[in-house]
Amino acid sequence: MKKFLFAAFTIATAFILFSFVAADKKPAWNIPAKYTAMKISKKGDKESIALGKTLYVKHCKSCHGGGKGDGAKAASLKTEMDDLTTAAFKALPDGNKYYMAFVGRGDMPNFEKKITDEEERWAIINYLNSL
Ligand code: HEC
C-alpha cells in the first residue's frame, strides 16, 4: 500500500509540475494570413536599417533592450519577450514580425497610431533582421 501511495503521489506531483511548465510557455502568435503575405520593402537596405535603429531605440528598446528582451522595463512586465536576435526569429515571415511589432497583443503595445509611416515600420523590421 505504501508503495502504491508513493507512486500515486509521484505521478500527481509530476502532473502538477508539468501543468505549470506548460502554462508558463507563451501561446503562439495567431497571425492573420494577410499579414504573413506582406512583403518587406527595401529589404537589407543600409539607410532603412539605420532609420529602423533610430526608431527602435526610441520606441522599443525600453522593453526589448538589445533584442534579447533585456530592456529597463523588462522586469516589470508580466509577459516574457522572445529573443529577437535568434535565427528562429529571423526565419519568420517578415509580415509576421510586422504584425507582432505594430498590432501587438497584451503587454506588447499596439503601435499602429504611433508609427504610421509604412516606410518607418518596414525600416524597424529591416533593423530587427540585422540584429
Ligand atoms: C512596454 C514594453 C514593450 C515595448 C515598448 C515594445 N515591446 Fe515588443 N513585446 C513586449 C512584450 C511583453 C512582448 C511579448 C508579448 C506576448 O508574447 O504576448 C513583445 C513581443 C514582441 C515581438 C514578438 C516576439 C515575442 O516576444 O513574442 C516583436 C517582434 C516585438 N515585440 C517587437 C517590438 C517592436 C518593434 C517595438 C517598438 C516599435 C516593441 N516591440 C516595443 C513588450 C514591449
Side-chain angles (χ1 to χ4, degrees):
M1 187 63 181
K2 257 191 185 167
K3 258 190 193 164
F4 171 76
L5 280 179
F6 181 73
F9 179 76
T10 311
I11 291 167
T13 311
F15 264 111
I16 290 165
L17 282 179
F18 179 75
S19 62
F20 270 114
V21 171
D24 203 39
K25 209 173 173 297
K26 290 206 308 186
W29 281 80
N30 204 348
I31 316 271
K34 74 167 193 182
Y35 283 90
T36 303
M38 287 168 97
K39 289 278 170 268
I40 195 163
S41 66
K42 299 189 175 181
K43 188 159 185 143
D45 179 271
K46 271 191 188 153
E47 269 175 46
S48 176
I49 293 173
L51 171 65
K53 181 174 183 176
T54 309
L55 293 163
Y56 179 91
V57 169
K58 185 173 171 201
H59 298 287
C60 324
K61 200 177 174 204
S62 57
C63 295
H64 288 277
K68 294 183 185 293
D70 51 357
K73 283 193 203 156
S76 64
L77 296 170
K78 281 193 211 88
T79 320
E80 221 170 278
M81 287 162 275
D82 288 346
D83 185 343
L84 307 180
T85 68
T86 61
F89 179 77
K90 289 195 169 79
L92 294 174
D94 292 313
N96 286 24
K97 297 170 199 163
Y98 180 104
Y99 179 86
M100 296 187 274
F102 305 114
V103 179
R105 71 172 184 192
D107 278 346
M108 170 61 210
N110 176 290
F111 278 96
E112 287 171 304
K113 291 206 173 96
K114 265 194 182 160
I115 305 169
T116 54
D117 190 293
E118 280 296 309
E119 195 156 328
E120 291 190 351
R121 291 181 180 178
W122 287 117
I124 293 173
I125 304 302
N126 262 323
Y127 174 66
L128 292 183
N129 286 337
S130 80
L131 287 175

Coordinates of all heavy atoms in Angstrom, one line a residue, residues 28-83:
A28 N 1.3 30.6 -29.0 CA 1.9 31.0 -30.2 C 1.1 32.2 -30.7 O -0.1 32.4 -30.4 CB 1.8 29.9 -31.3
W29 N 1.8 33.1 -31.5 CA 1.1 34.3 -32.0 C 0.1 33.8 -33.1 O 0.5 32.9 -33.9 CB 2.1 35.2 -32.6 CG 2.8 36.1 -31.6 CD1 3.8 35.7 -30.8 CD2 2.5 37.4 -31.3 NE1 4.2 36.7 -30.0 CE2 3.4 37.8 -30.3 CE3 1.6 38.4 -31.7 CZ2 3.4 39.1 -29.7 CZ3 1.6 39.6 -31.2 CH2 2.5 40.0 -30.2
N30 N -1.1 34.3 -33.2 CA -2.0 34.0 -34.2 C -2.0 35.1 -35.2 O -2.6 36.2 -35.0 CB -3.4 33.9 -33.5 CG -4.4 33.0 -34.2 OD1 -4.1 32.7 -35.4 ND2 -5.5 32.7 -33.6
I31 N -1.3 34.9 -36.3 CA -1.1 35.9 -37.3 C -2.0 35.8 -38.5 O -2.0 34.7 -39.1 CB 0.4 35.9 -37.9 CG1 1.4 35.7 -36.7 CG2 0.7 37.1 -38.7 CD1 1.9 36.9 -36.1
P32 N -2.9 36.8 -38.7 CA -3.8 36.7 -39.9 C -3.0 36.5 -41.2 O -1.9 37.2 -41.4 CB -4.5 38.0 -39.9 CG -4.3 38.6 -38.5 CD -3.0 38.0 -38.0
A33 N -3.5 35.7 -42.1 CA -2.8 35.4 -43.4 C -2.4 36.7 -44.2 O -1.4 36.7 -44.8 CB -3.7 34.5 -44.2
K34 N -3.3 37.7 -44.1 CA -3.0 38.9 -44.9 C -1.7 39.6 -44.4 O -1.0 40.2 -45.2 CB -4.2 39.8 -45.0 CG -4.4 40.6 -43.7 CD -5.4 41.8 -43.9 CE -5.3 42.7 -42.8 NZ -6.1 43.8 -42.7
Y35 N -1.3 39.4 -43.2 CA -0.1 39.9 -42.7 C 1.1 39.1 -43.2 O 2.1 39.6 -43.6 CB -0.1 40.1 -41.2 CG -0.9 41.3 -40.7 CD1 -2.2 41.1 -40.4 CD2 -0.3 42.5 -40.5 CE1 -3.0 42.2 -40.0 CE2 -1.0 43.6 -40.1 CZ -2.3 43.5 -39.8 OH -3.1 44.5 -39.4
T36 N 0.9 37.8 -43.0 CA 2.0 36.8 -43.4 C 2.4 37.1 -44.9 O 3.6 37.0 -45.2 CB 1.6 35.4 -43.2 OG1 1.2 35.2 -41.8 CG2 2.7 34.4 -43.5
A37 N 1.4 37.4 -45.7 CA 1.6 37.6 -47.1 C 2.4 38.9 -47.4 O 2.8 39.1 -48.6 CB 0.3 37.5 -47.9
M38 N 2.4 39.8 -46.5 CA 3.0 41.1 -46.7 C 4.5 41.0 -47.0 O 5.2 40.2 -46.4 CB 2.9 42.1 -45.5 CG 1.4 42.6 -45.3 SD 1.3 43.3 -43.7 CE 1.5 45.0 -44.2
K39 N 5.0 41.8 -48.0 CA 6.4 41.8 -48.3 C 7.1 43.0 -47.8 O 6.7 44.1 -47.9 CB 6.5 41.7 -49.9 CG 6.1 40.3 -50.4 CD 7.2 39.3 -50.3 CE 6.7 37.9 -50.6 NZ 6.2 37.1 -49.4
I40 N 8.3 42.8 -47.3 CA 9.1 43.9 -46.8 C 9.6 44.8 -47.9 O 9.9 44.3 -49.0 CB 10.3 43.3 -46.0 CG1 11.0 44.3 -45.1 CG2 11.4 42.6 -46.9 CD1 11.9 43.8 -44.0
S41 N 9.7 46.1 -47.6 CA 10.2 47.0 -48.6 C 11.6 47.3 -48.3 O 12.0 47.4 -47.1 CB 9.3 48.2 -48.8 OG 9.4 49.0 -47.6
K42 N 12.4 47.5 -49.3 CA 13.9 47.9 -49.1 C 14.6 46.9 -48.2 O 15.3 47.3 -47.3 CB 14.0 49.3 -48.5 CG 13.4 50.3 -49.4 CD 13.7 51.7 -48.9 CE 13.2 52.8 -49.8 NZ 13.6 54.1 -49.3
K43 N 14.4 45.6 -48.5 CA 15.0 44.6 -47.7 C 16.5 44.7 -47.6 O 17.2 44.8 -48.6 CB 14.6 43.2 -48.2 CG 15.1 42.1 -47.2 CD 14.3 40.8 -47.4 CE 14.8 39.8 -46.4 NZ 13.7 39.0 -45.9
G44 N 17.1 44.8 -46.4 CA 18.5 44.8 -46.2 C 19.2 46.2 -46.6 O 20.4 46.3 -46.4
D45 N 18.4 47.2 -47.0 CA 18.9 48.5 -47.4 C 19.5 49.2 -46.2 O 18.9 49.3 -45.1 CB 17.7 49.3 -47.9 CG 18.1 50.7 -48.4 OD1 18.1 51.6 -47.5 OD2 18.4 50.8 -49.6
K46 N 20.8 49.7 -46.4 CA 21.5 50.2 -45.2 C 20.8 51.4 -44.6 O 20.8 51.6 -43.4 CB 22.9 50.6 -45.7 CG 23.9 49.5 -45.5 CD 25.3 50.0 -45.7 CE 26.3 48.8 -45.7 NZ 27.5 49.1 -46.5
E47 N 20.3 52.3 -45.5 CA 19.7 53.5 -44.9 C 18.4 53.2 -44.1 O 18.1 53.8 -43.1 CB 19.2 54.4 -46.1 CG 20.3 55.5 -46.4 CD 19.9 56.2 -47.7 OE1 18.8 56.7 -47.8 OE2 20.8 56.4 -48.6
S48 N 17.7 52.2 -44.7 CA 16.5 51.7 -44.0 C 16.8 51.1 -42.6 O 16.1 51.4 -41.6 CB 15.7 50.7 -44.9 OG 14.6 50.2 -44.2
I49 N 17.9 50.4 -42.6 CA 18.3 49.7 -41.3 C 18.7 50.8 -40.3 O 18.3 50.8 -39.1 CB 19.5 48.8 -41.5 CG1 19.0 47.6 -42.3 CG2 20.1 48.3 -40.2 CD1 20.1 46.6 -42.7
A50 N 19.4 51.9 -40.8 CA 19.8 53.0 -39.9 C 18.6 53.7 -39.3 O 18.5 54.0 -38.1 CB 20.7 53.9 -40.6
L51 N 17.6 54.0 -40.2 CA 16.4 54.6 -39.8 C 15.6 53.7 -38.8 O 15.2 54.2 -37.7 CB 15.4 54.9 -41.0 CG 14.0 55.4 -40.7 CD1 14.0 56.7 -40.0 CD2 13.2 55.4 -42.0
G52 N 15.6 52.4 -39.0 CA 15.0 51.5 -38.1 C 15.6 51.5 -36.8 O 14.9 51.4 -35.8
K53 N 16.9 51.6 -36.8 CA 17.6 51.6 -35.5 C 17.2 52.8 -34.6 O 16.9 52.6 -33.4 CB 19.1 51.6 -35.7 CG 19.9 51.6 -34.4 CD 21.4 51.4 -34.6 CE 22.1 51.3 -33.2 NZ 23.5 51.1 -33.3
T54 N 17.2 54.0 -35.3 CA 16.8 55.2 -34.5 C 15.4 55.0 -33.9 O 15.1 55.3 -32.8 CB 16.8 56.4 -35.5 OG1 18.0 56.4 -36.2 CG2 16.5 57.7 -34.8
L55 N 14.5 54.4 -34.7 CA 13.1 54.3 -34.3 C 13.0 53.2 -33.2 O 12.2 53.3 -32.2 CB 12.2 53.9 -35.5 CG 12.0 55.0 -36.5 CD1 11.5 54.4 -37.8 CD2 11.1 56.1 -36.0
Y56 N 13.8 52.2 -33.3 CA 13.8 51.1 -32.3 C 14.3 51.6 -31.0 O 13.7 51.3 -30.0 CB 14.7 49.9 -32.8 CG 14.8 48.8 -31.8 CD1 14.0 47.7 -31.9 CD2 15.8 48.8 -30.8 CE1 14.0 46.7 -31.0 CE2 15.9 47.8 -29.9 CZ 15.0 46.7 -30.0 OH 15.1 45.7 -29.1
V57 N 15.3 52.4 -31.0 CA 15.9 53.0 -29.8 C 14.8 53.8 -29.1 O 14.6 53.8 -27.9 CB 17.2 53.8 -30.1 CG1 17.6 54.6 -28.9 CG2 18.3 52.8 -30.5
K58 N 14.1 54.6 -29.9 CA 13.0 55.5 -29.4 C 11.8 54.7 -28.8 O 11.3 55.0 -27.8 CB 12.6 56.4 -30.5 CG 11.6 57.5 -30.1 CD 11.4 58.5 -31.2 CE 10.2 59.4 -30.8 NZ 9.7 60.0 -32.0
H59 N 11.4 53.7 -29.6 CA 10.1 53.1 -29.2 C 10.2 51.7 -28.6 O 9.2 51.3 -27.9 CB 9.2 52.9 -30.5 CG 8.8 54.2 -31.1 ND1 7.9 55.1 -30.6 CD2 9.3 54.8 -32.3 CE1 7.8 56.1 -31.4 NE2 8.6 55.9 -32.5
C60 N 11.2 51.0 -28.8 CA 11.2 49.5 -28.5 C 12.2 49.2 -27.4 O 12.1 48.2 -26.7 CB 11.5 48.7 -29.7 SG 10.7 49.3 -31.2
K61 N 13.3 49.9 -27.4 CA 14.5 49.5 -26.6 C 14.2 49.4 -25.1 O 14.7 48.6 -24.4 CB 15.6 50.5 -26.8 CG 17.0 49.9 -26.4 CD 18.1 50.8 -26.7 CE 19.4 50.2 -26.2 NZ 20.4 51.2 -25.9
S62 N 13.3 50.3 -24.6 CA 13.0 50.3 -23.1 C 12.6 48.9 -22.7 O 12.8 48.5 -21.5 CB 11.9 51.3 -22.8 OG 10.8 51.0 -23.6
C63 N 11.9 48.1 -23.5 CA 11.5 46.8 -23.1 C 12.4 45.7 -23.7 O 12.9 44.8 -23.0 CB 10.1 46.5 -23.5 SG 8.8 47.6 -22.7
H64 N 12.6 45.8 -25.0 CA 13.4 44.7 -25.7 C 14.9 44.8 -25.6 O 15.6 43.9 -25.9 CB 13.0 44.7 -27.2 CG 11.6 44.2 -27.5 ND1 11.3 42.9 -27.5 CD2 10.4 44.9 -27.6 CE1 10.0 42.7 -27.7 NE2 9.4 43.9 -27.8
G65 N 15.4 45.9 -25.1 CA 16.8 46.1 -24.9 C 17.6 45.9 -26.2 O 17.1 46.4 -27.3
G66 N 18.6 45.1 -26.2 CA 19.4 44.9 -27.4 C 18.7 43.8 -28.3 O 19.3 43.4 -29.3
G67 N 17.5 43.4 -28.0 CA 16.8 42.4 -28.8 C 16.5 41.2 -28.0 O 15.7 40.4 -28.4
K68 N 17.2 41.0 -26.9 CA 17.1 39.8 -26.1 C 16.0 39.9 -25.0 O 15.9 39.1 -24.2 CB 18.4 39.4 -25.5 CG 19.5 39.0 -26.5 CD 20.7 38.6 -25.9 CE 21.8 38.3 -26.9 NZ 21.6 37.1 -27.7
G69 N 15.3 41.0 -25.1 CA 14.2 41.2 -24.1 C 14.8 41.7 -22.7 O 14.2 41.4 -21.7
D70 N 15.9 42.4 -22.8 CA 16.6 42.8 -21.6 C 16.6 44.3 -21.4 O 17.5 44.9 -20.8 CB 18.1 42.3 -21.6 CG 18.8 42.7 -22.9 OD1 18.1 43.3 -23.8 OD2 20.0 42.4 -23.1
G71 N 15.5 44.9 -21.8 CA 15.4 46.4 -21.6 C 15.1 46.7 -20.1 O 14.7 45.9 -19.3
A72 N 15.2 48.1 -19.8 CA 15.0 48.5 -18.5 C 13.6 48.2 -17.9 O 13.5 47.9 -16.7 CB 15.2 50.0 -18.4
K73 N 12.6 48.1 -18.8 CA 11.2 47.9 -18.3 C 10.9 46.4 -18.2 O 9.8 46.0 -17.7 CB 10.2 48.5 -19.2 CG 10.0 50.0 -19.1 CD 8.8 50.4 -19.8 CE 8.8 51.9 -20.2 NZ 8.0 52.2 -21.4
A74 N 11.8 45.6 -18.7 CA 11.5 44.1 -18.9 C 11.1 43.5 -17.6 O 10.1 42.7 -17.5 CB 12.7 43.4 -19.4
A75 N 11.8 43.8 -16.5 CA 11.5 43.1 -15.2 C 10.1 43.4 -14.7 O 9.5 42.6 -14.0 CB 12.5 43.6 -14.2
S76 N 9.5 44.6 -15.1 CA 8.2 44.9 -14.6 C 7.1 44.4 -15.5 O 5.9 44.6 -15.2 CB 8.1 46.5 -14.5 OG 8.2 47.0 -15.8
L77 N 7.4 43.7 -16.6 CA 6.4 43.1 -17.5 C 6.0 41.7 -17.1 O 6.9 41.0 -16.6 CB 6.9 43.1 -18.9 CG 7.2 44.5 -19.5 CD1 7.9 44.3 -20.9 CD2 5.9 45.3 -19.7
K78 N 4.8 41.4 -17.2 CA 4.3 40.0 -16.9 C 4.7 39.0 -17.9 O 4.9 37.8 -17.7 CB 2.8 40.0 -16.6 CG 2.4 40.5 -15.3 CD 0.9 40.2 -15.0 CE 0.3 41.3 -14.1 NZ -0.3 42.4 -14.9
T79 N 4.7 39.5 -19.2 CA 4.9 38.5 -20.3 C 6.4 38.6 -20.7 O 7.0 39.6 -20.9 CB 4.1 38.9 -21.5 OG1 2.8 39.3 -21.0 CG2 3.9 37.8 -22.5
E80 N 6.9 37.4 -20.9 CA 8.3 37.3 -21.3 C 8.5 37.6 -22.8 O 7.6 37.3 -23.6 CB 8.8 35.9 -21.0 CG 10.2 35.9 -20.5 CD 10.7 34.5 -20.0 OE1 10.3 34.2 -18.9 OE2 11.3 33.8 -20.8
M81 N 9.5 38.3 -23.2 CA 9.8 38.6 -24.6 C 10.7 37.5 -25.2 O 11.6 37.1 -24.5 CB 10.4 40.0 -24.7 CG 9.5 41.1 -24.4 SD 10.3 42.6 -24.1 CE 10.7 42.5 -22.4
D82 N 10.4 37.2 -26.4 CA 11.3 36.2 -27.1 C 12.6 37.0 -27.5 O 12.6 38.2 -27.6 CB 10.7 35.7 -28.4 CG 9.6 34.7 -28.1 OD1 9.5 34.3 -26.9 OD2 8.8 34.4 -29.0
D83 N 13.7 36.2 -27.7 CA 14.9 36.8 -28.2 C 14.8 37.1 -29.7 O 14.5 36.2 -30.5 CB 16.0 35.7 -27.9 CG 17.4 36.2 -28.3 OD1 17.5 37.3 -29.0 OD2 18.4 35.6 -27.9

